[in-house]
Amino acid sequence: MNRIHRLPSLVVAVVLAISVSSTAFSQTSLGGDVKPGRALRLTITGDMTLSLVDRSDSFGRAGLAAAGGSGADPLLLGGSWPGDLAGGSFFDPLVNIGIVATISEGVSANISLETPFDIDTNGRDGNLPLSLGEAKVSWQGAMDAALDLDFGVVDYAIDFSGNHQPFLLDLGNAESAYDNGGGDSGTPQSASAGRVRSLQPVGAVGHYDLGENTLDVLMFDLSPVDNESLFGLVYGLPLDTGDYTGDMGIVLLNSKNDGGSDLLTFGGGGHLSGADGLKFYGELYWQFGDYSSSVNQNSAYGLVAGVHYDIPDADENDAPWVDFSLWDLSGDDNGANSSNSNFVSYEFNNDMLVLEDAYYGLDVDTNYRAFKIKGGMNLTPEWSVQGLFAYATLNANSNGAASNGSSSSKLGDEFDVRATYRATDYLTFYLNAGTLQNAKALGVGSGVEVISISSEVRF
């Protein structure tokens, strides 16, 4: 899939910035206080992240074949990563600026500008463009007291498991879920893997308050270039078993890839937590219909299930925890037929630094099964650490069709360590290090390592 160009978005962002400068900030008192010209109140927020990333040379050699294709390509963007970024060290700055304008009672406008994450295309040559991240109008009590309406460029996400790793949908951070070539390749990645924030979800979300329950009605144009769109229903309800309470959601989505496609996703998930420190979470989805005008969606599913335990007898300041989970996403090892079994999602799951991370990892997002064990604790009020071990395999790899010429389905054993240092309430440092061993299906003879050191300032 060709990169989704954001020149129109940038033009809109510049026009909006000029408009805000010439109107909202036109009234300035002698004391220097900014007074909005039309809005009741303006709130400006932002964050700046600077990361030093180092990846082993084996990162650029890791490959998975397009099933039924001519052979293996390096993972991420069809092998188009520049050599100095695939394996090696580089700095990556990311900036986000947000403006919230309260226009009247119940009506507000949100505008965010961001540096797009396109280190392959921009080459980080010193020219860091700003693109439009979100530009939405929020109307509370729209035409009815129970209806809230968001429309414009809306970053919509669902996280039924409550683990901050959206499994099915995170439109503001995801990439295209399709190959956009009329068929499927069977590879364990979408064609735009690694292109975080490359979609621009233009549309509307209606949020209905049904008392204890809620109903969201979605309609989005995700990519006019590729005729990619999505609409559906998300129903939310509380859970209460007496000892455990939580939330649950049920989803029915229809996503389109071309004029003849109707890929339906049905399922849901939720989480339950109790006073004993236990939390149970999970999500399960089935997919059917038409992947494209010439390929049907067949026997595709996505599953995550886990148990999180906050150890209650330890010192409250330490807050130790452990987490056990299974992640299972159906796969396809035959890209030459008229059926696709890869689970299709707009996920933003960055749980594993090497295999799953969409920023600096391999962003494998379908056709795999992973068993994960995680744990962490606070060392001091400023320092916290966590570790992860995962055992990952391909779900479908008949005779090496989806791997780098290897009949092994072993994606690898991953070991990750993360450390967080909270210098102040607004300045945080992160150290992330991951290694992937025994990655036979990726065709590398050594481990794949990813290390990043990041500073984050929020205001």
mmCIF file with all atom_site columns, all heavy atoms in Angstrom, residues 247-266:
data_model
loop_
_atom_site.group_PDB
_atom_site.id
_atom_site.type_symbol
_atom_site.label_atom_id
_atom_site.label_alt_id
_atom_site.label_comp_id
_atom_site.label_asym_id
_atom_site.label_entity_id
_atom_site.label_seq_id
_atom_site.pdbx_PDB_ins_code
_atom_site.Cartn_x
_atom_site.Cartn_y
_atom_site.Cartn_z
_atom_site.occupancy
_atom_site.B_iso_or_equiv
_atom_site.pdbx_formal_charge
_atom_site.auth_seq_id
_atom_site.auth_comp_id
_atom_site.auth_asym_id
_atom_site.auth_atom_id
_atom_site.pdbx_PDB_model_num
ATOM 1   N N   . ASP A 1 247 ? -16.479 -3.976  33.529 1.00 0.00 ? 247 ASP A N   1
ATOM 2   C CA  . ASP A 1 247 ? -17.229 -3.524  32.361 1.00 0.00 ? 247 ASP A CA  1
ATOM 3   C C   . ASP A 1 247 ? -17.088 -4.536  31.239 1.00 0.00 ? 247 ASP A C   1
ATOM 4   O O   . ASP A 1 247 ? -16.110 -5.295  31.170 1.00 0.00 ? 247 ASP A O   1
ATOM 5   C CB  . ASP A 1 247 ? -16.723 -2.160  31.883 1.00 0.00 ? 247 ASP A CB  1
ATOM 6   C CG  . ASP A 1 247 ? -16.937 -1.076  32.925 1.00 0.00 ? 247 ASP A CG  1
ATOM 7   O OD1 . ASP A 1 247 ? -18.091 -0.703  33.152 1.00 0.00 ? 247 ASP A OD1 1
ATOM 8   O OD2 . ASP A 1 247 ? -15.942 -0.622  33.519 1.00 0.00 ? 247 ASP A OD2 1
ATOM 9   N N   . MET A 1 248 ? -18.045 -4.502  30.328 1.00 0.00 ? 248 MET A N   1
ATOM 10  C CA  . MET A 1 248 ? -18.055 -5.399  29.180 1.00 0.00 ? 248 MET A CA  1
ATOM 11  C C   . MET A 1 248 ? -18.518 -4.631  27.957 1.00 0.00 ? 248 MET A C   1
ATOM 12  O O   . MET A 1 248 ? -19.287 -3.670  28.063 1.00 0.00 ? 248 MET A O   1
ATOM 13  C CB  . MET A 1 248 ? -18.999 -6.586  29.443 1.00 0.00 ? 248 MET A CB  1
ATOM 14  C CG  . MET A 1 248 ? -19.124 -7.568  28.303 1.00 0.00 ? 248 MET A CG  1
ATOM 15  S SD  . MET A 1 248 ? -20.243 -8.944  28.705 1.00 0.00 ? 248 MET A SD  1
ATOM 16  C CE  . MET A 1 248 ? -20.199 -9.838  27.135 1.00 0.00 ? 248 MET A CE  1
ATOM 17  N N   . GLY A 1 249 ? -18.044 -5.044  26.791 1.00 0.00 ? 249 GLY A N   1
ATOM 18  C CA  . GLY A 1 249 ? -18.462 -4.420  25.547 1.00 0.00 ? 249 GLY A CA  1
ATOM 19  C C   . GLY A 1 249 ? -18.744 -5.457  24.473 1.00 0.00 ? 249 GLY A C   1
ATOM 20  O O   . GLY A 1 249 ? -18.098 -6.508  24.424 1.00 0.00 ? 249 GLY A O   1
ATOM 21  N N   . ILE A 1 250 ? -19.716 -5.166  23.628 1.00 0.00 ? 250 ILE A N   1
ATOM 22  C CA  . ILE A 1 250 ? -20.060 -6.027  22.497 1.00 0.00 ? 250 ILE A CA  1
ATOM 23  C C   . ILE A 1 250 ? -19.950 -5.195  21.222 1.00 0.00 ? 250 ILE A C   1
ATOM 24  O O   . ILE A 1 250 ? -20.408 -4.041  21.185 1.00 0.00 ? 250 ILE A O   1
ATOM 25  C CB  . ILE A 1 250 ? -21.486 -6.588  22.641 1.00 0.00 ? 250 ILE A CB  1
ATOM 26  C CG1 . ILE A 1 250 ? -21.609 -7.385  23.944 1.00 0.00 ? 250 ILE A CG1 1
ATOM 27  C CG2 . ILE A 1 250 ? -21.844 -7.477  21.448 1.00 0.00 ? 250 ILE A CG2 1
ATOM 28  C CD1 . ILE A 1 250 ? -23.032 -7.796  24.271 1.00 0.00 ? 250 ILE A CD1 1
ATOM 29  N N   . VAL A 1 251 ? -19.351 -5.773  20.175 1.00 0.00 ? 251 VAL A N   1
ATOM 30  C CA  . VAL A 1 251 ? -19.016 -5.024  18.964 1.00 0.00 ? 251 VAL A CA  1
ATOM 31  C C   . VAL A 1 251 ? -19.592 -5.708  17.732 1.00 0.00 ? 251 VAL A C   1
ATOM 32  O O   . VAL A 1 251 ? -19.526 -6.941  17.598 1.00 0.00 ? 251 VAL A O   1
ATOM 33  C CB  . VAL A 1 251 ? -17.484 -4.899  18.807 1.00 0.00 ? 251 VAL A CB  1
ATOM 34  C CG1 . VAL A 1 251 ? -17.116 -4.429  17.412 1.00 0.00 ? 251 VAL A CG1 1
ATOM 35  C CG2 . VAL A 1 251 ? -16.917 -3.943  19.829 1.00 0.00 ? 251 VAL A CG2 1
ATOM 36  N N   . LEU A 1 252 ? -20.117 -4.912  16.832 1.00 0.00 ? 252 LEU A N   1
ATOM 37  C CA  . LEU A 1 252 ? -20.434 -5.350  15.475 1.00 0.00 ? 252 LEU A CA  1
ATOM 38  C C   . LEU A 1 252 ? -19.904 -4.289  14.531 1.00 0.00 ? 252 LEU A C   1
ATOM 39  O O   . LEU A 1 252 ? -20.378 -3.149  14.532 1.00 0.00 ? 252 LEU A O   1
ATOM 40  C CB  . LEU A 1 252 ? -21.941 -5.532  15.287 1.00 0.00 ? 252 LEU A CB  1
ATOM 41  C CG  . LEU A 1 252 ? -22.380 -5.912  13.857 1.00 0.00 ? 252 LEU A CG  1
ATOM 42  C CD1 . LEU A 1 252 ? -21.760 -7.236  13.438 1.00 0.00 ? 252 LEU A CD1 1
ATOM 43  C CD2 . LEU A 1 252 ? -23.904 -5.968  13.748 1.00 0.00 ? 252 LEU A CD2 1
ATOM 44  N N   . LEU A 1 253 ? -18.887 -4.636  13.736 1.00 0.00 ? 253 LEU A N   1
ATOM 45  C CA  . LEU A 1 253 ? -18.233 -3.692  12.840 1.00 0.00 ? 253 LEU A CA  1
ATOM 46  C C   . LEU A 1 253 ? -18.290 -4.199  11.410 1.00 0.00 ? 253 LEU A C   1
ATOM 47  O O   . LEU A 1 253 ? -18.241 -5.408  11.155 1.00 0.00 ? 253 LEU A O   1
ATOM 48  C CB  . LEU A 1 253 ? -16.764 -3.485  13.229 1.00 0.00 ? 253 LEU A CB  1
ATOM 49  C CG  . LEU A 1 253 ? -16.459 -2.904  14.612 1.00 0.00 ? 253 LEU A CG  1
ATOM 50  C CD1 . LEU A 1 253 ? -14.946 -2.850  14.829 1.00 0.00 ? 253 LEU A CD1 1
ATOM 51  C CD2 . LEU A 1 253 ? -17.081 -1.536  14.782 1.00 0.00 ? 253 LEU A CD2 1
ATOM 52  N N   . ASN A 1 254 ? -18.343 -3.266  10.478 1.00 0.00 ? 254 ASN A N   1
ATOM 53  C CA  . ASN A 1 254 ? -18.236 -3.568  9.054  1.00 0.00 ? 254 ASN A CA  1
ATOM 54  C C   . ASN A 1 254 ? -17.145 -2.673  8.488  1.00 0.00 ? 254 ASN A C   1
ATOM 55  O O   . ASN A 1 254 ? -17.271 -1.451  8.501  1.00 0.00 ? 254 ASN A O   1
ATOM 56  C CB  . ASN A 1 254 ? -19.569 -3.309  8.352  1.00 0.00 ? 254 ASN A CB  1
ATOM 57  C CG  . ASN A 1 254 ? -19.537 -3.689  6.873  1.00 0.00 ? 254 ASN A CG  1
ATOM 58  O OD1 . ASN A 1 254 ? -18.500 -4.052  6.345  1.00 0.00 ? 254 ASN A OD1 1
ATOM 59  N ND2 . ASN A 1 254 ? -20.672 -3.592  6.222  1.00 0.00 ? 254 ASN A ND2 1
ATOM 60  N N   . SER A 1 255 ? -16.066 -3.283  8.013  1.00 0.00 ? 255 SER A N   1
ATOM 61  C CA  . SER A 1 255 ? -14.985 -2.509  7.402  1.00 0.00 ? 255 SER A CA  1
ATOM 62  C C   . SER A 1 255 ? -14.920 -2.832  5.919  1.00 0.00 ? 255 SER A C   1
ATOM 63  O O   . SER A 1 255 ? -15.173 -3.961  5.503  1.00 0.00 ? 255 SER A O   1
ATOM 64  C CB  . SER A 1 255 ? -13.638 -2.802  8.068  1.00 0.00 ? 255 SER A CB  1
ATOM 65  O OG  . SER A 1 255 ? -13.340 -4.181  8.027  1.00 0.00 ? 255 SER A OG  1
ATOM 66  N N   . LYS A 1 256 ? -14.564 -1.814  5.133  1.00 0.00 ? 256 LYS A N   1
ATOM 67  C CA  . LYS A 1 256 ? -14.533 -1.960  3.678  1.00 0.00 ? 256 LYS A CA  1
ATOM 68  C C   . LYS A 1 256 ? -13.149 -1.614  3.150  1.00 0.00 ? 256 LYS A C   1
ATOM 69  O O   . LYS A 1 256 ? -12.515 -0.662  3.607  1.00 0.00 ? 256 LYS A O   1
ATOM 70  C CB  . LYS A 1 256 ? -15.579 -1.051  3.028  1.00 0.00 ? 256 LYS A CB  1
ATOM 71  C CG  . LYS A 1 256 ? -17.015 -1.467  3.283  1.00 0.00 ? 256 LYS A CG  1
ATOM 72  C CD  . LYS A 1 256 ? -17.982 -0.514  2.611  1.00 0.00 ? 256 LYS A CD  1
ATOM 73  C CE  . LYS A 1 256 ? -19.415 -0.977  2.743  1.00 0.00 ? 256 LYS A CE  1
ATOM 74  N NZ  . LYS A 1 256 ? -19.678 -2.187  1.952  1.00 0.00 ? 256 LYS A NZ  1
ATOM 75  N N   . ASN A 1 257 ? -12.735 -2.390  2.173  1.00 0.00 ? 257 ASN A N   1
ATOM 76  C CA  . ASN A 1 257 ? -11.427 -2.229  1.568  1.00 0.00 ? 257 ASN A CA  1
ATOM 77  C C   . ASN A 1 257 ? -11.525 -1.780  0.122  1.00 0.00 ? 257 ASN A C   1
ATOM 78  O O   . ASN A 1 257 ? -10.627 -1.174  -0.416 1.00 0.00 ? 257 ASN A O   1
ATOM 79  C CB  . ASN A 1 257 ? -10.673 -3.562  1.665  1.00 0.00 ? 257 ASN A CB  1
ATOM 80  C CG  . ASN A 1 257 ? -9.295  -3.511  1.070  1.00 0.00 ? 257 ASN A CG  1
ATOM 81  O OD1 . ASN A 1 257 ? -8.618  -2.514  1.198  1.00 0.00 ? 257 ASN A OD1 1
ATOM 82  N ND2 . ASN A 1 257 ? -8.897  -4.580  0.404  1.00 0.00 ? 257 ASN A ND2 1
ATOM 83  N N   . ASP A 1 258 ? -12.632 -2.111  -0.518 1.00 0.00 ? 258 ASP A N   1
ATOM 84  C CA  . ASP A 1 258 ? -12.926 -1.650  -1.871 1.00 0.00 ? 258 ASP A CA  1
ATOM 85  C C   . ASP A 1 258 ? -14.438 -1.718  -2.064 1.00 0.00 ? 258 ASP A C   1
ATOM 86  O O   . ASP A 1 258 ? -15.176 -2.026  -1.132 1.00 0.00 ? 258 ASP A O   1
ATOM 87  C CB  . ASP A 1 258 ? -12.173 -2.467  -2.934 1.00 0.00 ? 258 ASP A CB  1
ATOM 88  C CG  . ASP A 1 258 ? -12.505 -3.955  -2.883 1.00 0.00 ? 258 ASP A CG  1
ATOM 89  O OD1 . ASP A 1 258 ? -13.637 -4.299  -2.461 1.00 0.00 ? 258 ASP A OD1 1
ATOM 90  O OD2 . ASP A 1 258 ? -11.653 -4.768  -3.255 1.00 0.00 ? 258 ASP A OD2 1
ATOM 91  N N   . GLY A 1 259 ? -14.900 -1.423  -3.260 1.00 0.00 ? 259 GLY A N   1
ATOM 92  C CA  . GLY A 1 259 ? -16.335 -1.351  -3.486 1.00 0.00 ? 259 GLY A CA  1
ATOM 93  C C   . GLY A 1 259 ? -17.072 -2.654  -3.266 1.00 0.00 ? 259 GLY A C   1
ATOM 94  O O   . GLY A 1 259 ? -18.288 -2.648  -3.060 1.00 0.00 ? 259 GLY A O   1
ATOM 95  N N   . GLY A 1 260 ? -16.366 -3.794  -3.295 1.00 0.00 ? 260 GLY A N   1
ATOM 96  C CA  . GLY A 1 260 ? -17.045 -5.077  -3.162 1.00 0.00 ? 260 GLY A CA  1
ATOM 97  C C   . GLY A 1 260 ? -16.804 -5.783  -1.852 1.00 0.00 ? 260 GLY A C   1
ATOM 98  O O   . GLY A 1 260 ? -17.149 -6.964  -1.724 1.00 0.00 ? 260 GLY A O   1
ATOM 99  N N   . SER A 1 261 ? -16.232 -5.118  -0.882 1.00 0.00 ? 261 SER A N   1
ATOM 100 C CA  . SER A 1 261 ? -15.881 -5.784  0.363  1.00 0.00 ? 261 SER A CA  1
ATOM 101 C C   . SER A 1 261 ? -16.837 -5.402  1.482  1.00 0.00 ? 261 SER A C   1
ATOM 102 O O   . SER A 1 261 ? -17.332 -4.287  1.553  1.00 0.00 ? 261 SER A O   1
ATOM 103 C CB  . SER A 1 261 ? -14.449 -5.432  0.775  1.00 0.00 ? 261 SER A CB  1
ATOM 104 O OG  . SER A 1 261 ? -14.329 -4.047  1.052  1.00 0.00 ? 261 SER A OG  1
ATOM 105 N N   . ASP A 1 262 ? -17.082 -6.367  2.360  1.00 0.00 ? 262 ASP A N   1
ATOM 106 C CA  . ASP A 1 262 ? -17.841 -6.170  3.591  1.00 0.00 ? 262 ASP A CA  1
ATOM 107 C C   . ASP A 1 262 ? -17.285 -7.153  4.608  1.00 0.00 ? 262 ASP A C   1
ATOM 108 O O   . ASP A 1 262 ? -17.768 -8.285  4.725  1.00 0.00 ? 262 ASP A O   1
ATOM 109 C CB  . ASP A 1 262 ? -19.333 -6.429  3.372  1.00 0.00 ? 262 ASP A CB  1
ATOM 110 C CG  . ASP A 1 262 ? -20.030 -5.276  2.673  1.00 0.00 ? 262 ASP A CG  1
ATOM 111 O OD1 . ASP A 1 262 ? -20.199 -4.227  3.309  1.00 0.00 ? 262 ASP A OD1 1
ATOM 112 O OD2 . ASP A 1 262 ? -20.379 -5.443  1.487  1.00 0.00 ? 262 ASP A OD2 1
ATOM 113 N N   . LEU A 1 263 ? -16.253 -6.730  5.337  1.00 0.00 ? 263 LEU A N   1
ATOM 114 C CA  . LEU A 1 263 ? -15.644 -7.595  6.333  1.00 0.00 ? 263 LEU A CA  1
ATOM 115 C C   . LEU A 1 263 ? -16.313 -7.305  7.676  1.00 0.00 ? 263 LEU A C   1
ATOM 116 O O   . LEU A 1 263 ? -16.210 -6.201  8.211  1.00 0.00 ? 263 LEU A O   1
ATOM 117 C CB  . LEU A 1 263 ? -14.133 -7.352  6.414  1.00 0.00 ? 263 LEU A CB  1
ATOM 118 C CG  . LEU A 1 263 ? -13.319 -8.397  7.181  1.00 0.00 ? 263 LEU A CG  1
ATOM 119 C CD1 . LEU A 1 263 ? -11.882 -8.418  6.682  1.00 0.00 ? 263 LEU A CD1 1
ATOM 120 C CD2 . LEU A 1 263 ? -13.325 -8.127  8.684  1.00 0.00 ? 263 LEU A CD2 1
ATOM 121 N N   . LEU A 1 264 ? -17.010 -8.306  8.200  1.00 0.00 ? 264 LEU A N   1
ATOM 122 C CA  . LEU A 1 264 ? -17.778 -8.156  9.428  1.00 0.00 ? 264 LEU A CA  1
ATOM 123 C C   . LEU A 1 264 ? -16.998 -8.708  10.611 1.00 0.00 ? 264 LEU A C   1
ATOM 124 O O   . LEU A 1 264 ? -16.407 -9.799  10.524 1.00 0.00 ? 264 LEU A O   1
ATOM 125 C CB  . LEU A 1 264 ? -19.112 -8.876  9.312  1.00 0.00 ? 264 LEU A CB  1
ATOM 126 C CG  . LEU A 1 264 ? -20.046 -8.383  8.194  1.00 0.00 ? 264 LEU A CG  1
ATOM 127 C CD1 . LEU A 1 264 ? -21.288 -9.264  8.117  1.00 0.00 ? 264 LEU A CD1 1
ATOM 128 C CD2 . LEU A 1 264 ? -20.434 -6.931  8.415  1.00 0.00 ? 264 LEU A CD2 1
ATOM 129 N N   . THR A 1 265 ? -16.980 -7.971  11.705 1.00 0.00 ? 265 THR A N   1
ATOM 130 C CA  . THR A 1 265 ? -16.349 -8.397  12.951 1.00 0.00 ? 265 THR A CA  1
ATOM 131 C C   . THR A 1 265 ? -17.403 -8.383  14.045 1.00 0.00 ? 265 THR A C   1
ATOM 132 O O   . THR A 1 265 ? -18.073 -7.364  14.269 1.00 0.00 ? 265 THR A O   1
ATOM 133 C CB  . THR A 1 265 ? -15.201 -7.468  13.350 1.00 0.00 ? 265 THR A CB  1
ATOM 134 O OG1 . THR A 1 265 ? -14.206 -7.461  12.321 1.00 0.00 ? 265 THR A OG1 1
ATOM 135 C CG2 . THR A 1 265 ? -14.553 -7.933  14.650 1.00 0.00 ? 265 THR A CG2 1
ATOM 136 N N   . PHE A 1 266 ? -17.543 -9.536  14.723 1.00 0.00 ? 266 PHE A N   1
ATOM 137 C CA  . PHE A 1 266 ? -18.497 -9.634  15.816 1.00 0.00 ? 266 PHE A CA  1
ATOM 138 C C   . PHE A 1 266 ? -17.808 -10.245 17.029 1.00 0.00 ? 266 PHE A C   1
ATOM 139 O O   . PHE A 1 266 ? -17.019 -11.185 16.910 1.00 0.00 ? 266 PHE A O   1
ATOM 140 C CB  . PHE A 1 266 ? -19.692 -10.511 15.437 1.00 0.00 ? 266 PHE A CB  1
ATOM 141 C CG  . PHE A 1 266 ? -20.647 -10.749 16.584 1.00 0.00 ? 266 PHE A CG  1
ATOM 142 C CD1 . PHE A 1 266 ? -21.498 -9.744  17.015 1.00 0.00 ? 266 PHE A CD1 1
ATOM 143 C CD2 . PHE A 1 266 ? -20.672 -11.968 17.243 1.00 0.00 ? 266 PHE A CD2 1
ATOM 144 C CE1 . PHE A 1 266 ? -22.366 -9.947  18.081 1.00 0.00 ? 266 PHE A CE1 1
ATOM 145 C CE2 . PHE A 1 266 ? -21.536 -12.188 18.305 1.00 0.00 ? 266 PHE A CE2 1
ATOM 146 C CZ  . PHE A 1 266 ? -22.388 -11.171 18.728 1.00 0.00 ? 266 PHE A CZ  1
#
